[in-house]
DNA sequence: AGCACGCCGACT
DNA sequence: GTCGGCGTGCTC
């Protein structure tokens, strides 16, 4: 017998299959083996076993030993091989995601993460009929191994978690395993509390990047040996060493955190779908505000849509008010607080209720807007907001790179009040404090709050009602439930609405819906005030009506017209190096190469390859970065990635010191 | 990536 | 002679 093996390596050059003879050993795909390699011995993983001898003329060596304890299963190597072609990454980089770095703790010294956690779970007396229906449909699918994907579209407090738990329970009943994914590590605690109460602590394992190497290894081993049947965690938990997975659940499926931002840049949803194919398992995507891509798939019948419209506790949804900041300006109010928001805050404070103010970060991009009419400069080709670059004093499209002069007067209404939008972050707390001198104001954002304990104490103070007004970034939109919040204010929704990203509208809808969930948790209806210079944007109308469908119907038309997902992909190819010239030259060369590859098809696809752009490299060690953006039509992704992978090999053969990283539908282009 | 091989200049 | 610099090629 002959085995195709990928060795533990660091080089792109050796990231390929090597054929070994199995000898006397009984070898399966997924097995970790020790093999002779060159003058040394290395470890590798078996990807395939056949009895056909390869044609090529090279000496075939024999596998020395199988490391049973650290071996993986056949599905894992299959998924890793698929990831290589989908993300243009190395076999071994894909494989590494499935293998914990650490070593086992010494016997008796195992440390249990979340040891002091209290299990909190009380099964509700009854499920709503919508919940009953969802549970029975999903359970049937798990039972019959139909490999379905469900999109569970449920408003906040509609009891999605109960549906998740019942689905997992069904999988366990069938002798299968389950993975529960949450978007952020901070959210795992609440989930574990409930799951531990429902399924017993011994049956669950936690996997996320904040565990120590040793803890992670031990949890991983508990899953691999079948001691734990349910994996809970952030996106890396999708790589749990489980077999026979009955169901994977992705809570808040629209969240950006499901897409890895560091290399290898995998997409959690893709990986989940791929893994479940082998086991005919079921995927449940839950969200109150599904991603437009997922919803389209549900509409197309690729996913099965389940709606939960009824709120479990029947609390009325908050009232959403859209405030026109142009009007405020015309009425002589130039402050960051509209008259309406001011009024709501005052009355909330009077009745000892609390207030949350969301100040969405300006981030790295600045845009120009007319305060008279709300006009925002957008790229006519790409349809995204232009970003102001101070250095060049130009408006630049972050997709195609076209540059435009900064307008002196508004092209629409000829007003001179067209200028940069955004206010200094520090300013906000100051303004709020002086506007409400008798209120206790606290501030929550990740820039100023560095320590975990600091963050917790700010939240604790708010929970204990010691704080009247909490000002913060996106952080306040998520996290804990507070029952005394009467008013939520979004100070300037335009900052999210005009991010240079095709998803900016989707993200705004999600953000407003999410913060709305913070208002009026008790029996009283809460109020949400959203301030904007562009109140006529369809996104806000949909927010006001709590109508996702309405938002979707408008947004999907734009996506189709612009060929953005789900109708096409945007592929960003990054080049980093310590050699500036090499970086530039390589991205130029890549552009020509890619255009050349596509030209032969004679469909004009090469027009989708944008010219290279220079950018700063924040994260990597290399000092220079350039990138090339490619607009890729629907169904062509695999071919495009294949070309990119080939180009990478080309560079490697020449031993050029330049890194190439590919990112499909990146969340930010800076 | 590593490591060996090999071809060239500089030195005890 | 021979030591070591690094350009090149290979690992089943």
């Amino acid at each position: 017998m002959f085995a195709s093996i990928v060795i533990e390596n660091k080089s792109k050059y050796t990231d390929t299959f090597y054929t070994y003879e199995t000898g006397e050993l009984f070898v399966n795909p997924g097995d970790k083996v020790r093999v002779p390699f060159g003058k040394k011995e290395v470890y590798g993983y078996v990807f395939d076993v056949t009895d056909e001898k390869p044609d090529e003329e090279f000496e075939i060596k024999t596998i020395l030993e199988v490391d049973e304890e650290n071996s993986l299963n056949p599905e894992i190597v299959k998924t890793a091989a698929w990831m290589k072609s989908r993300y243009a990454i190395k076999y071994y980089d894909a494989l590494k995601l499935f293998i914990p770095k650490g070593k086992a703790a010494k016997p008796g010294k195992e440390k249990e993460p979340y040891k002091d956690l209290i299990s909190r779970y009380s099964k509700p007396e009854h499920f709503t009929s919508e919940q009953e229906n969802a549970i029975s449909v999903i359970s049937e699918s798990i039972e019959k191994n139909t490999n379905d994907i469900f999109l569970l579209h449920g408003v906040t407090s509609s009891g999605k978690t109960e549906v998740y738990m019942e689905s997992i329970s069904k999988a366990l009943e069938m002798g299968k395993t389950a993975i529960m994914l949450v978007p952020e590590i901070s959210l795992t605690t609440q989930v574990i509390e409930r799951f531990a109460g429902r399924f017993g602590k011994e049956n669950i394992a936690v996997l996320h990047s904040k565990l120590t190497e040793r803890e992670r290894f031990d949890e991983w081993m508990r899953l691999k040996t079948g001691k734990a049947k349910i994996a809970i965690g952030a996106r890396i938990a999708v790589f749990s060493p489980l077999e026979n997975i009955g169901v994977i659940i992705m809570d808040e499926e629209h969240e950006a955190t499901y897409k890895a931002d560091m290399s290898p840049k995998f997409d959690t949803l893709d990986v989940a779908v791929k893994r479940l194919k082998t086991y005919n398992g079921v995927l449940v995507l839950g969200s109150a505000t599904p991603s437009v891509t997922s919803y389209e798939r549900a509409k197309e019948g690729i996913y099965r849509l389940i709606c939960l419209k009824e709120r479990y506790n029947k609390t009325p949804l908050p009232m959403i008010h859209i405030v026109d900041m142009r009007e405020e300006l015309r009425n002589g109010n130039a402050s960051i607080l509209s008259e309406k928001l001011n009024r709501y805050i005052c009355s909330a404070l009077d009745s000892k209720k609390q207030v949350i103010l969301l100040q969405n970060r300006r981030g790295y991009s600045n845009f120009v807007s007319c305060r008279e009419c709300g006009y925002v400069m957008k790229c006519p080709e790409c349809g995204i907001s232009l970003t102001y670059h101070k250095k060049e004093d130009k408006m630049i499209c972050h997709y195609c790179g076209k540059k435009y002069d900064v307008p002196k007067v508004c092209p629409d209404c000829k007003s001179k009040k067209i200028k940069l939008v955004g206010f200094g972050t520090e300013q906000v707390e100051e303004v709020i404090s002086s506007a409400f001198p008798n209120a206790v104001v606290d501030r929550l954002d990740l820039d100023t709050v560095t320590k975990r304990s600091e963050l917790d104490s700010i939240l604790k103070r708010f929970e204990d009602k010691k704080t009247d007004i909490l000002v913060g970034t996106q952080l306040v939109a998520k996290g804990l439930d507070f029952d005394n919040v009467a008013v939520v204010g979004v100070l300037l929704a335009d900052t999210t609405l005009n991010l240079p990203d095709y998803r900016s509208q989707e993200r705004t809808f999600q953000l407003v819906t999410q913060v709305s969930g913070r208002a009026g948790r008790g029996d009283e209806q809460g109020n949400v005030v959203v301030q904007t210079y562009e109140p006529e944007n369809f996104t806000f109308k949909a927010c006001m009506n709590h109508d996702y469908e309405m938002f979707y119907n408008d947004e999907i038309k734009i996506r189709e017209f612009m060929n953005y997902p789900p109708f096409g992909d945007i592929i960003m190819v990054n080049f980093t190096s310590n050699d500036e010239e090499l970086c530039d030259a390589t991205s130029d060369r890549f552009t020509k190469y890619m255009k050349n590859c596509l030209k032969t098809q004679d469909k004009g696809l090469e027009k989708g390859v944008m010219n290279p752009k220079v950018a700063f490299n924040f994260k990597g060690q290399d000092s220079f970065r350039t990138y090339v953006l490619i607009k890729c039509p629907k169904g062509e992704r695999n071919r495009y990635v294949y070309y990119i992978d080939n180009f990478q090999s080309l560079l490697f053969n020449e031993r050029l010191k330049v890194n190439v990283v590919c990112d499909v539908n990146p969340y930010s282009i800076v």
Side-chain angles (χ1 to χ4, degrees):
Chain A
M1 298 286 272
F2 300 91
S4 299
I5 289 168
V6 168
I7 57 154
E8 276 188 356
N9 61 66
K10 287 160 197 145
S11 160
K12 165 109 195 168
Y13 206 88
T14 44
D15 195 65
T16 180
F17 291 141
Y18 288 92
T19 311
Y20 285 86
E21 226 164 330
T22 58
E24 301 293 300
L25 295 163
F26 190 66
V27 176
N28 283 312
D31 283 354
K32 184 177 182 179
V33 290
R34 193 160 56 88
V35 290
F37 188 70
K39 295 261 150 75
K40 293 168 53 171
E41 281 176 12
V42 293
Y43 281 98
Y45 289 85
V46 177
F47 273 61
D48 198 21
V49 183
T50 60
D51 41 22
E52 272 170 66
K53 195 175 194 267
D55 310 329
E56 283 93 332
E57 287 293 314
F58 44 64
E59 184 204 352
I60 298 177
K61 295 180 182 173
T62 307
I63 297 169
L64 300 167
E65 169 189 46
V66 179
D67 178 352
E68 294 283 357
E69 200 182 33
N70 294 301
S71 286
L72 305 169
N73 67 50
E75 175 263 317
I76 289 179
V77 286
K78 195 163 108 189
T79 303
W82 167 85
M83 285 177 76
K84 180 198 162 82
S85 64
R86 178 138 181 110
Y87 303 119
I89 57 176
K90 290 181 284 193
Y91 283 118
Y92 191 58
D93 280 346
L95 212 48
K96 267 197 289 194
L97 294 164
F98 290 90
I99 308 164
K101 265 205 223 94
K103 284 269 155 288
K106 289 197 188 86
K109 292 231 171 179
E110 293 94 348
K111 216 170 96 243
E112 189 189 332
Y114 298 93
K115 203 172 100 227
D116 307 323
L117 176 129
I118 314 139
S119 310
R120 290 184 220 206
Y121 177 74
S122 52
K123 197 168 179 168
E125 282 159 33
H126 68 281
F127 293 141
T128 64
S129 59
E130 286 180 335
Q131 281 176 314
E132 292 277 9
N133 170 59
I135 292 163
S136 85
V137 173
I138 296 169
S139 296
E140 194 191 334
S141 195
I142 293 170
E143 196 174 332
K144 293 189 175 158
N145 297 312
T146 52
N147 195 217
D148 283 317
I149 300 171
F150 291 97
L151 178 59
L152 188 61
H153 181 201
V155 295
T156 38
S157 321
S158 58
K160 287 195 287 287
T161 310
E162 292 298 334
V163 178
Y164 299 157
M165 289 195 284
E166 289 305 307
S167 308
I168 290 172
S169 169
K170 184 73 197 174
L172 298 190
E173 204 181 287
M174 304 289 299
K176 294 164 187 252
T177 60
I179 301 175
M180 173 74 206
L181 300 166
V182 291
E184 274 173 77
I185 296 167
S186 60
L187 299 174
T188 47
T189 317
Q190 333 176 16
V191 176
I192 297 161
E193 282 176 354
R194 293 180 73 175
F195 275 57
R198 176 74 167 77
F199 298 104
K201 236 174 168 177
E202 66 287 356
N203 281 317
I204 62 179
V206 190
L207 281 182
H208 59 65
S209 53
K210 287 283 153 67
L211 299 180
T212 65
E213 281 186 7
R214 190 146 289 182
E215 285 174 328
R216 203 162 142 186
F217 186 92
D218 291 343
E219 293 295 277
W220 184 83
M221 216 27 135
R222 288 180 55 229
L223 289 165
K224 200 171 101 67
T225 53
K227 283 186 188 126
K229 302 245 185 294
I230 307 167
I232 300 177
R235 64 178 178 234
I236 56 157
V238 81
F239 300 108
S240 298
L242 291 168
E243 265 178 86
N244 201 6
I245 305 168
V247 63
I248 297 181
I249 290 166
M250 268 177 86
D251 191 28
E252 309 293 338
E253 67 83 32
H254 61 275
E255 288 287 342
T257 47
Y258 280 122
K259 193 166 175 297
D261 49 357
M262 301 285 258
S263 188
K265 302 190 179 198
F266 62 90
D267 211 321
T268 308
L269 200 151
D270 285 348
V271 178
V273 170
K274 179 67 190 172
R275 292 199 71 181
L276 288 168
K277 243 178 211 153
T278 301
Y279 305 114
N280 284 317
V282 168
L283 180 61
V284 179
L285 308 170
S287 178
T289 51
S291 71
V292 170
T293 299
S294 291
Y295 205 71
E296 195 261 353
R297 289 193 181 138
K299 290 250 158 179
E300 288 294 306
I302 301 164
Y303 298 171
R304 292 173 66 184
L305 186 64
I306 301 176
C307 292
L308 302 177
K309 294 193 172 112
E310 193 185 327
R311 297 183 100 188
Y312 194 76
N313 48 14
K314 303 231 163 64
T315 324
L317 286 164
M319 186 78 98
I320 298 181
H321 313 264
I322 307 296
V323 171
D324 187 346
M325 292 304 274
R326 302 168 304 193
E327 195 69 36
E328 295 292 315
L329 207 63
R330 272 180 231 132
N331 295 338
N333 176 15
S335 112
I336 59 168
L337 277 183
S338 63
E339 190 266 325
K340 192 168 199 168
L341 182 54
N342 200 346
R343 199 151 29 88
Y344 274 113
I345 296 174
C346 287
S347 76
L349 295 176
D350 281 346
S351 52
K352 297 271 178 277
K353 293 278 184 184
Q354 289 166 294
V355 177
I356 289 176
L357 295 179
L358 181 87
Q359 189 220 341
N360 3 18
R361 281 172 56 114
R362 189 156 57 140
Y364 304 106
S365 61
N366 307 309
F367 64 99
V368 163
S369 147
C370 174
R371 305 216 170 169
E372 201 76 36
C373 74
Y375 170 86
V376 174
M377 232 177 143
K378 290 189 178 177
C379 176
E381 294 279 320
C382 304
I384 65 158
S385 299
L386 299 178
T387 302
Y388 176 69
H389 284 237
K390 200 175 178 182
K391 216 170 143 191
E392 299 171 73
D393 194 33
K394 292 268 190 217
M395 303 300 295
I396 300 177
C397 172
H398 276 197
Y399 276 11
C400 71
K402 281 208 189 73
K403 293 172 187 174
Y404 302 86
D405 286 333
V406 183
K408 298 267 183 307
V409 296
C410 173
D412 239 30
C413 73
K414 311 294 173 222
S415 156
K416 282 180 185 161
K417 285 184 180 163
I418 181 157
K419 51 183 172 179
L420 265 175
V421 170
F423 28 75
T425 36
E426 319 75 32
Q427 206 188 313
V428 177
E429 192 183 353
E430 222 172 274
V431 171
I432 304 296
S433 297
S434 61
F436 308 100
N438 297 322
V440 181
V441 182
D442 224 336
R443 171 174 183 82
L444 181 66
D445 72 57
L446 272 190
D447 296 334
T448 49
V449 182
T450 43
K451 274 188 238 127
R452 174 89 225 176
S453 56
E454 240 175 298
L455 189 137
D456 288 339
S457 70
I458 291 171
L459 288 173
K460 185 85 172 58
R461 278 206 294 279
F462 193 73
E463 207 177 350
D464 295 344
K465 305 188 176 68
K466 285 177 184 142
T467 315
D468 299 309
I469 305 174
L470 184 63
V471 184
T473 52
Q474 249 86 325
L475 275 180
V476 298
K478 296 168 191 163
L480 304 156
D481 290 340
F482 308 108
D483 56 7
N484 195 42
V485 178
V487 179
V488 170
V490 180
L491 294 173
L492 193 64
D494 307 47
T495 44
T496 318
L497 195 61
N498 291 299
L499 287 171
D501 186 322
Y502 69 87
R503 278 164 291 220
S504 62
Q505 272 144 170
E506 171 177 333
R507 287 164 98 173
T508 306
F509 183 85
Q510 287 161 353
L511 183 73
V512 173
T513 306
Q514 199 160 43
V515 285
S516 300
R518 307 294 130 217
R521 280 259 155 173
D523 37 14
E524 271 174 69
Q525 187 182 34
N527 284 290
V528 177
V529 179
V530 179
Q531 306 189 144
T532 173
Y533 287 99
E534 209 185 329
E536 60 282 345
N537 189 300
F538 69 91
T539 309
F540 297 126
K541 294 214 174 70
C543 287
M544 227 159 67
N545 293 312
H546 301 280
D547 193 341
Y548 177 82
E549 190 80 20
M550 184 178 173
F551 166 75
Y552 171 82
N553 286 333
D554 282 331
E555 178 66 16
I556 199 73
K557 285 180 208 138
I558 302 172
R559 299 286 180 92
E560 187 162 21
F561 183 72
M562 301 302 302
N563 284 317
Y564 287 144
F567 303 101
D569 291 307
I570 293 172
I571 303 176
M572 180 159 91
V573 186
N574 286 288
F575 301 87
T576 60
S577 175
N578 281 321
D579 182 340
E580 190 172 8
E581 251 176 70
L582 180 66
C583 208
D584 288 349
T586 312
S587 49
D588 279 343
R589 193 174 147 198
F590 173 73
T591 312
K592 288 198 190 82
Y593 160 90
M594 199 66 196
K595 284 189 175 176
N596 222 16
C597 288
L598 298 172
K599 245 177 209 155
T600 52
Q601 303 297 312
D602 200 35
K603 282 192 221 152
L605 292 183
E606 77 278 3
K607 287 193 196 79
V609 183
M610 305 289 137
N611 287 322
K613 287 168 276 280
V614 179
F616 292 106
N617 190 18
F618 294 110
K619 286 172 187 166
Q621 313 97 312
D622 291 336
S623 19
F624 302 100
R625 179 165 77 96
T626 54
Y627 67 91
V628 174
L629 217 84
I630 306 163
K631 291 179 179 171
C632 165
K634 194 175 184 171
E636 298 280 13
R637 172 174 176 168
N638 289 353
R639 188 158 67 94
Y640 278 45
V641 171
Y642 176 75
Y643 292 145
I644 295 163
D645 191 54
N646 276 352
F647 187 78
Q648 273 179 293
S649 306
L650 219 85
L651 289 184
F652 203 87
N653 289 340
E654 293 175 30
R655 286 163 186 266
L656 293 175
K657 292 226 176 331
V658 55
N659 265 314
V660 187
V661 173
C662 161
D663 191 349
V664 182
N665 301 326
Y667 267 84
S668 84
I669 294 175
V670 188

